[in-house]
C-alpha cells in the first residue's frame, strides 16, 4: 500500500512539473510569434487631376493602415520616397505619378530594399462617379482575393506578393475596426490587373427573415493596372520583368496626330496635282475662235 501511495505521489509530482513547464513555455512561444506590422505610405506627385485625387481618397478610405503624405515636388529623385517611408515607419509605398495632367502611373514598392513595380493606371472610376448600391464600414478590414491565373508565371507570383503586402490590412493597425465586410478582388486578364471592391452581404435584403445567403455587391472604385516594369530595388535597380506589349499613351497620341497629319498632307498633295492637271489640260486644248485675244485683236 505504501509503495502504491509513493508511486501515486511521484506521478502527481511529475504531472505538476509538466504543467509548470508548459506554463513557462507558453509565453516564450507566444513571444517568438511576431505579428505583421505593415504600413503603407500613400502620396502623389504634382499635377494630379480631380479624378486622380478622388481615386487616392477612395484608397485611403479602404486601407486604414495607410499614412498619407504631401505631394512630392520632384519626379526624377524618387529615392527620396524611401526616406519618407522610413520617417513614417512604413514598409510599403503607393506613389501616384501624374504626367501631362492626363496620364497616371502607380508605383508599388517594398521599402527600402525593393522590389518595386511601375504600372499604368487606366479606366479609373471613383466611388462618387459609380454610385453603386454597396456600402461597407469605414476602417473595416477587407479580404484580398486573387483568381487562379496568378500562379502560372514567375512575375505574376511576384506581383501577387507585392499586392498582398500593400493592400492587406494587418491586425495590428490602430484605425482598424474588427469587421470583415468587403473583398478586394484582383483579376488577371489580358496581362492587366483589374481591381474591384465588393461588399459581403450575409442575408438577402428582400427576405430578411430567411436563411443566410451570402452575396456580393460592388462598391467601387474601379481601375485597371497595366504592369510596365518590375525593378529589383525600391524605385530603381536592375529590371526583373519588362512588358513588351506596353505602349506609352504619349506614343499613342503621337501616332494619332501623325496619322491625322498624314491625311492632311495627302489631301494637300491631291489639290496640287488637280491644279497641275487642270493647267495642263488648258494648255493642251486649241485656242477658241471666240477668245478675247481673237475678238479684240
Amino acid at each position: 500500500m505504501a509503495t502504491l501511495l509513493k508511486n501515486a505521489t511521484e506521478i502527481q509530482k511529475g504531472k505538476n512539473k509538466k504543467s509548470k513547464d508548459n506554463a513557462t513555455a507558453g509565453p516564450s512561444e507566444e513571444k517568438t510569434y511576431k505579428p505583421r506590422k505593415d504600413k503603407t505610405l500613400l502620396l502623389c506627385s504634382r499635377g494630379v487631376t480631380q479624378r486622380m485625387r478622388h481615386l487616392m481618397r477612395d484608397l485611403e478610405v479602404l486601407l486604414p493602415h495607410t499614412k498619407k503624405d504631401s505631394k512630392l515636388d520632384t519626379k526624377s529623385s524618387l529615392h527620396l520616397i524611401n526616406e519618407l517611408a522610413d520617417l513614417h515607419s512604413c514598409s510599403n509605398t503607393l506613389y501616384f505619378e501624374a504626367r501631362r495632367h492626363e496620364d497616371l502611373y502607380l508605383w508599388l514598392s517594398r521599402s527600402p530594399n525593393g522590389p518595386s513595380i511601375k504600372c499604368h493606371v487606366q479606366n479609373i472610376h471613383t466611388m462618387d462617379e459609380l454610385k453603386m448600391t454597396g456600402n461597407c464600414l469605414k476602417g473595416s478590414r477587407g479580404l484580398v482575393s486573387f483568381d487562379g491565373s496568378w500562379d502560372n508565371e514567375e512575375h505574376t507570383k511576384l506581383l501577387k506578393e507585392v499586392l498582398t503586402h500593400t493592400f492587406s490590412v494587418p491586425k495590428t493597425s490602430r484605425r482598424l475596426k474588427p469587421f470583415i465586410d468587403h473583398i478586394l478582388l484582383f483579376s488577371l486578364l489580358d496581362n492587366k490587373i483589374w481591381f474591384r471592391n465588393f461588399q459581403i452581404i450575409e442575408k438577402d435584403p428582400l427576405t430578411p427573415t430567411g436563411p443566410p445567403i451570402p452575396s456580393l455587391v460592388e462598391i467601387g472604385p474601379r481601375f485597371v493596372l497595366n504592369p510596365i516594369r518590375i525593378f529589383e530595388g525600391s524605385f530603381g535597380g536592375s529590371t526583373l520583368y519588362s512588358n513588351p506589349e506596353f505602349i506609352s499613351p504619349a506614343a499613342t497620341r503621337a501616332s494619332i496626330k501623325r496619322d491625322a497629319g498624314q491625311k492632311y498632307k495627302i489631301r494637300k498633295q491631291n489639290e496640287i496635282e488637280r491644279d497641275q492637271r487642270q493647267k495642263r489640260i488648258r494648255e493642251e486644248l486649241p485656242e477658241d475662235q471666240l477668245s478675247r485675244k481673237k475678238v479684240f485683236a
Side-chain angles (χ1 to χ4, degrees):
M1 189 69 180
T3 55
L4 292 175
L5 291 174
K6 186 177 180 181
N7 293 333
T9 53
E10 289 178 356
I11 293 171
Q12 188 66 27
K13 288 180 181 179
K15 289 183 179 180
N16 294 335
K17 186 177 181 181
K18 288 182 181 180
S19 62
K20 289 180 180 180
D21 294 339
N22 293 332
T24 55
S28 62
E29 291 177 357
E30 292 179 358
K31 290 180 180 179
T32 56
Y33 171 73
K34 295 181 180 180
R36 187 169 62 90
K37 296 183 179 180
D38 286 341
K39 296 179 183 178
T40 302
L41 178 65
L42 182 65
L43 74 162
C44 64
S45 64
R46 296 286 180 183
V48 292
T49 60
Q50 182 180 5
R51 183 186 295 269
M52 303 172 188
R53 193 163 53 249
H54 284 192
L55 177 62
M56 287 186 59
R57 189 184 305 166
D58 293 342
L59 290 180
E60 184 184 4
V61 172
L62 289 177
L63 306 176
H65 67 299
T66 57
K67 287 191 175 182
K68 193 175 180 181
D69 201 353
S70 59
K71 296 179 181 179
L72 192 67
D73 292 329
T74 179
K75 292 184 180 180
S76 58
S77 302
L78 297 183
H79 61 275
L80 298 176
I81 302 177
N82 294 324
E83 299 180 5
L84 294 175
D86 189 18
L87 290 174
H88 290 281
S89 301
C90 296
S91 56
N92 304 300
T93 304
L94 283 174
Y95 173 61
F96 289 89
E97 182 180 1
R99 296 280 183 178
R100 299 179 181 87
H101 298 278
E102 53 184 345
D103 302 330
L104 182 62
Y105 296 91
L106 175 61
W107 286 83
L108 298 98
S109 176
R110 183 75 176 170
S111 301
N113 299 323
S116 57
I117 304 167
K118 184 179 181 181
C119 303
H120 180 222
V121 187
Q122 302 173 344
N123 302 333
I124 301 174
H125 299 282
T126 60
M127 288 184 182
D128 296 336
E129 179 184 2
L130 291 173
K131 295 181 180 179
M132 294 290 185
T133 57
N135 190 13
C136 66
L137 182 66
K138 183 178 180 180
S140 62
R141 192 181 183 195
L143 298 176
V144 181
S145 177
F146 299 89
D147 58 3
S149 59
W150 287 86
D151 298 330
N152 296 335
E153 299 181 8
E154 293 297 329
H155 70 278
T156 56
K157 293 180 181 178
L158 182 58
L159 283 170
K160 178 181 178 181
E161 192 68 22
V162 174
L163 290 172
T164 302
H165 282 276
T166 305
F167 286 90
S168 62
V169 183
K171 296 181 180 179
T172 57
S173 179
R174 292 184 178 180
R175 295 185 295 172
L176 177 66
K177 294 182 175 61
F179 297 99
I180 297 177
D181 56 354
H182 64 103
I183 295 178
L184 304 177
L185 177 63
F186 292 92
S187 303
L188 198 62
L189 182 64
D190 297 334
N191 293 327
K192 296 178 182 178
I193 304 171
W194 300 69
F195 175 83
R196 296 291 185 271
N197 182 26
F198 296 96
Q199 178 193 2
I200 303 173
I201 298 179
E202 295 294 337
K203 291 186 178 182
D204 189 2
L206 299 178
T207 57
T209 59
I213 302 176
S215 60
L216 298 178
V217 178
E218 188 174 356
I219 304 173
R222 292 179 179 179
F223 58 87
V224 179
L225 298 178
N226 189 6
I228 303 173
R229 199 179 292 267
I230 300 177
F231 298 96
E232 184 180 3
S234 181
F235 298 99
S238 60
T239 302
L240 300 179
Y241 169 76
S242 179
N243 189 1
E245 300 178 357
F246 175 75
I247 300 175
S248 65
T252 304
R253 288 191 296 269
S255 64
I256 293 173
K257 292 181 180 178
R258 196 182 303 112
D259 294 341
Q262 190 68 19
K263 291 180 181 179
Y264 176 78
K265 184 179 179 180
I266 293 172
R267 187 172 70 250
K268 300 304 286 186
Q269 186 68 26
N270 292 334
E271 291 179 1
I272 294 173
E273 291 178 357
R274 185 177 66 248
D275 294 340
Q276 292 177 353
R277 185 170 60 253
Q278 292 177 355
K279 183 179 180 181
R280 187 171 61 253
I281 291 173
R282 286 194 302 268
E283 291 176 354
E284 292 177 355
L285 288 175
E287 190 174 1
D288 190 7
Q289 296 297 328
L290 299 177
S291 64
R292 182 177 295 181
K293 292 180 180 180
K294 289 191 175 184
V295 172
F296 296 101

